[in-house]
Amino acid sequence: MKSEPNEFGIDDLINKSGQTEHWDGVRNYQARNMMRDQMKCGDRVFFYHSNCDEPGIVGIAEVVREGYPDFLAFDPADKHFDPKSKPEQPRWFMVDVKFVKKLTRTLTLKELKQHAELQDLALVRRGNRLSIMPVSEPQWDFILSLE
DNA sequence: GCCAACGTTGGC
DNA sequence: GCCAACGTTGGC
């Protein structure tokens, strides 16, 4: 899961009550479908810092609440407001994630791109813009072995 | 259903 | 700040 550290970095997650936060503001259907349909309690996710000096994986979090409507889409005062999403038929979903750990160092995008084992990882593919993407178990284990 | 115009993401 | 690569919108 990608987040801009200027907006919400891993330290912001650590500082939340219960070290848990809802992953709001996703307005992309592919990413929505993953949160709504696929991500289950106990699933672990890499926390990725994007759009910053050193883009890369900085830590691990865990899904603690499965897909439910992104209520910010209902709030006209919020920047993520979407008039097409109604409480009776929500268009956007989110999950809650809880901090698990920081990695001992940042696994930079640059570094991840250098490993043939990760060539199919969506993150390193050209033009990728998805903010949430799947990681296979072998990919997960390999990435952790780099730490 | 096509596709041009536009907006966004995000690395660099 | 630039711009490639997408996704979305909306006229036709």
Side-chain angles (χ1 to χ4, degrees):
Chain A
M1 301 177 92
K2 295 182 187 173
S3 189
E4 303 189 15
N6 291 340
E7 295 287 325
F8 187 80
I10 193 157
D11 289 325
D12 296 306
L13 181 60
I14 290 171
N15 289 329
K16 285 287 167 185
S17 160
Q19 298 190 325
T20 298
E21 178 67 318
H22 46 265
W23 205 264
D24 60 74
V26 171
R27 298 293 177 265
N28 169 281
Y29 289 102
Q30 266 183 278
R32 175 205 69 181
N33 292 346
M34 282 185 269
M35 291 201 289
R36 187 188 61 189
D37 306 330
Q38 292 183 273
M39 297 172 72
K40 301 299 177 191
C41 284
D43 285 354
R44 295 208 155 182
V45 301
F46 285 127
F47 198 112
Y48 178 91
H49 280 173
S50 67
N51 214 1
C52 57
D53 286 346
E54 196 175 47
I57 295 170
V58 295
I60 295 174
E62 178 178 341
V63 176
V64 292
R65 182 175 174 187
E66 294 172 8
Y68 64 106
D70 181 340
F71 51 79
L72 295 183
F74 308 141
D75 178 2
D78 193 276
K79 69 173 177 177
H80 294 301
F81 175 61
D82 181 355
K84 293 175 187 163
S85 187
K86 310 278 189 199
E88 61 273 18
Q89 195 173 2
R91 174 172 297 206
W92 303 114
F93 286 75
M94 58 190 178
V95 298
D96 286 358
V97 299
K98 181 183 172 73
F99 173 76
V100 172
K101 63 179 280 196
K102 273 192 184 182
L103 300 188
T104 54
R105 66 187 185 90
T106 299
L107 302 177
T108 64
L109 178 61
K110 185 181 175 189
E111 179 181 354
L112 297 174
K113 281 180 170 172
Q114 288 166 359
H115 295 284
E117 290 88 341
L118 300 178
Q119 62 181 358
D120 293 328
L121 186 67
L123 180 70
V124 304
R125 301 200 71 98
R126 201 163 68 106
N128 164 69
R129 288 170 46 199
L130 262 186
S131 64
I132 299 176
M133 59 188 70
V135 179
S136 73
E137 206 163 324
Q139 288 166 343
W140 177 276
D141 292 340
F142 180 79
I143 290 169
L144 277 185
S145 77
L146 298 173
E147 188 183 357

